[in-house]
Every structure is written in structure tokens, then in C-alpha cells.
């Protein structure tokens, strides 16, 4: 079955970076892309961006441009999301989700990774 | 950027009742580019509807949706106990993709 398994919770200090992983199984990794969506505590969903696992093309939310980098490693079927210069308002659950393109819905989701930014 | 507004913020109903959730977009959204998700506490969102009105695999037929242009609706024909959670609309017709703020359906 199709699964996306994310890395564990992280606690970071303001100004630091975090890299969250998302390991895919149960489908041809390079036929789809991975989107990243975050959810601040008690809040709604925020689209962060999307990466093609086929060619590495990316689309990022303008609000995160310059601080976020999404990559994939096809040899391990893993997608990564790195967020730099962390601030307290980056505290959120970060989800990865599969989508064929940046302009499609997300049918399969990872379990989420809590990133806490605190001094 | 297309901004999605959901109403009401909270919908208080009883099991067995009909729920109608609204999602309004700040600009026209392509009819094939609107989705609805259900999120239970502590879980990832679950895709219910894509392409405005197509149910995702395994979604019960008490969930239906429709709309066009800037106005979209999710309907739950008869609420089951497990339906009292949060619902989000999502547009993906242009970048950046955006989500609505959510509607919480709670028990009256």
C-alpha cells in the first residue's frame, strides 16, 4: 500500500535550520511529486510548495521563498524539506503529501512532523 | 493569490442531520481544481472530494460536493458520529495553491 513516513519531531532554536524527511513506498516514486503543507497549532493548513520527484522541479510559496528548499533522493525514495532561519511562528506540524503535479489535490499524506521553534 | 473563505466557522448539528459547508474564492477557480479534506484530531487531512465533485476512493456517498466559479459547497447528507470534525477546501488551479481556514462541525 502507498505510504509516506516522515521523520520524528524536532526542537530548534530561533535562527536554526530544520530538515524533515518523507520516505515513500508502494508506488513508483519518480512518477509523482511531493507537496509540503504545514499547520500551526490550532490553525489551518498552509501550502508550502511542491517538488517533482521526476526532475526536481520546484514551486515554492512566495512567503517562504529564500528560506525553504525541497529536494528528493530517488535512490532512497525520500523527499526532504529544509527550512532555514527558523522563527517562533514556524512552529507547526509539517506534512508531506503525494500529488502528480503542483496543480493537483493530495490523496496520500504523511503522518506529520512537529517542529517546535523555541529559545 | 486566490484566498478561500469558508463558512460557517463552526456548524453545530445533530447526528442524522444534513450539513452544508461553503467555500468561497476571491477569484474564479477552475471547476476541476477544488478539493475538500476532512481532518480528525491528531491526524493528517484526508482527501474527500477532488475536481469539485468527485469522491475520492472509499469516501461514503453521504458526502457530495459541487459548485463553480467562486462558490463551492460540501454536503453531508446524514451526519454520522465520526463526521463531527474539521473540513478544509483547497484550490489547486493556480500557484500558489491555497487552503480555506476550515469549518468545524460539532455536535449540538
Amino acid at each position: 500500500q502507498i505510504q509516506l513516513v516522515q521523520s520524528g519531531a524536532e526542537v530548534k532554536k530561533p535562527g536554526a535550520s530544520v530538515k524533515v524527511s518523507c520516505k515513500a513506498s508502494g508506488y513508483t516514486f519518480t512518477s509523482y511529486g511531493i507537496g509540503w503543507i504545514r499547520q500551526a497549532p490550532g490553525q489551518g493548513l498552509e501550502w508550502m510548495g511542491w517538488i517533482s520527484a521526476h526532475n526536481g522541479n520546484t514551486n515554492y510559496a512566495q512567503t517562504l521563498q529564500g528560506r525553504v528548499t525541497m529536494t528528493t533522493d530517488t535512490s532512497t525514495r525520500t523527499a526532504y524539506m529544509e527550512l532555514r532561519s527558523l522563527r517562533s511562528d514556524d512552529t507547526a506540524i509539517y506534512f508531506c503529501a503525494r500529488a502528480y503535479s503542483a496543480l493537483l489535490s493530495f490523496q496520500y499524506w504523511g503522518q506529520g512532523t512537529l517542529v517546535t521553534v523555541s529559545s | 493569490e486566490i484566498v478561500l473563505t469558508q463558512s460557517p466557522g463552526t456548524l453545530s448539528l445533530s447526528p442524522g442531520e444534513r450539513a452544508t459547508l461553503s467555500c468561497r474564492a476571491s477569484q474564479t477557480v477552475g471547476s476541476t481544481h477544488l478539493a475538500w479534506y476532512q481532518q480528525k484530531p491528531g491526524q493528517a487531512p484526508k482527501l474527500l472530494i477532488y475536481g469539485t465533485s468527485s469522491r475520492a476512493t472509499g469516501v461514503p456517498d453521504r458526502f457530495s460536493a459541487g459548485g463553480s466559479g467562486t462558490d463551492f459547497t460540501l454536503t453531508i447528507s446524514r451526519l454520522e458520529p465520526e463526521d463531527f470534525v474539521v473540513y478544509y477546501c483547497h484550490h489547486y488551479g493556480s500557484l500558489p495553491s491555497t487552503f480555506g481556514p476550515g469549518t468545524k462541525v460539532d455536535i449540538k
Side-chain angles (χ1 to χ4, degrees):
Chain A
Q1 74 280 22
I2 295 167
Q3 281 193 307
L4 298 172
V5 179
Q6 298 183 222
S7 49
E10 303 261 15
V11 179
K12 296 291 183 181
K13 293 194 183 303
S17 299
V18 69
K19 193 169 186 177
V20 178
S21 68
C22 170
K23 186 171 179 60
S25 61
Y27 70 94
T28 302
F29 183 66
T30 51
S31 293
Y32 294 84
I34 295 289
W36 290 89
I37 302 99
R38 69 179 180 178
Q39 186 171 37
Q43 302 301 308
L45 302 167
E46 178 187 5
W47 184 85
M48 300 178 66
W50 177 91
I51 180 168
S52 166
H54 172 64
N55 58 20
N57 285 351
T58 55
N59 299 101
Y60 297 140
Q62 193 73 15
T63 53
L64 295 172
Q65 202 86 349
R67 290 205 299 138
V68 69
T69 301
M70 296 175 188
T71 57
T72 60
D73 181 340
T74 56
S75 68
T76 59
R77 306 164 58 84
T78 302
Y80 298 92
M81 186 285 300
E82 181 180 33
L83 189 60
R84 300 176 293 279
S85 302
L86 289 168
R87 311 184 293 243
S88 58
D89 62 357
D90 291 317
T91 294
I93 297 173
Y94 289 75
F95 294 101
C96 64
R98 190 189 86 165
Y100 182 74
S101 86
L103 298 178
L104 282 176
S105 57
F106 298 111
Q107 186 174 13
Y108 297 97
W109 292 65
Q111 82 276 20
T113 296
L114 175 62
V115 175
T116 303
V117 183
S118 173
S119 55
Chain B
E1 172 176 323
I2 294 178
V3 176
L4 299 179
T5 304
Q6 290 187 244
S7 60
T10 301
L11 188 55
S12 297
L13 294 168
S14 300
E17 288 194 297
R18 180 185 188 91
T20 303
L21 287 66
S22 173
C23 176
R24 177 163 289 178
S26 60
Q27 303 170 41
T28 295
V29 172
S31 61
T32 58
H33 295 110
L34 196 286
W36 291 90
Y37 299 84
Q38 176 192 67
Q39 188 177 33
K40 296 180 179 180
Q43 295 186 18
K46 172 189 174 184
L47 179 65
L48 293 178
I49 302 286
Y50 64 94
T52 298
S53 60
S54 298
R55 274 189 300 274
T57 304
V59 173
D61 60 8
R62 65 179 182 274
F63 292 93
S64 63
S68 64
T70 60
D71 291 300
F72 299 87
T73 301
L74 173 70
T75 301
I76 310 171
S77 59
R78 288 179 55 86
L79 285 162
E80 297 287 340
E82 62 268 27
D83 299 337
F84 290 89
V85 290
V86 182
Y87 296 85
Y88 295 96
C89 58
H90 168 218
H91 107 82
Y92 47 93
S94 60
L95 296 179
S97 181
T98 55
F99 291 86
T103 290
K104 180 179 182 179
V105 179
D106 68 13
I107 298 178
K108 187 192 284 187

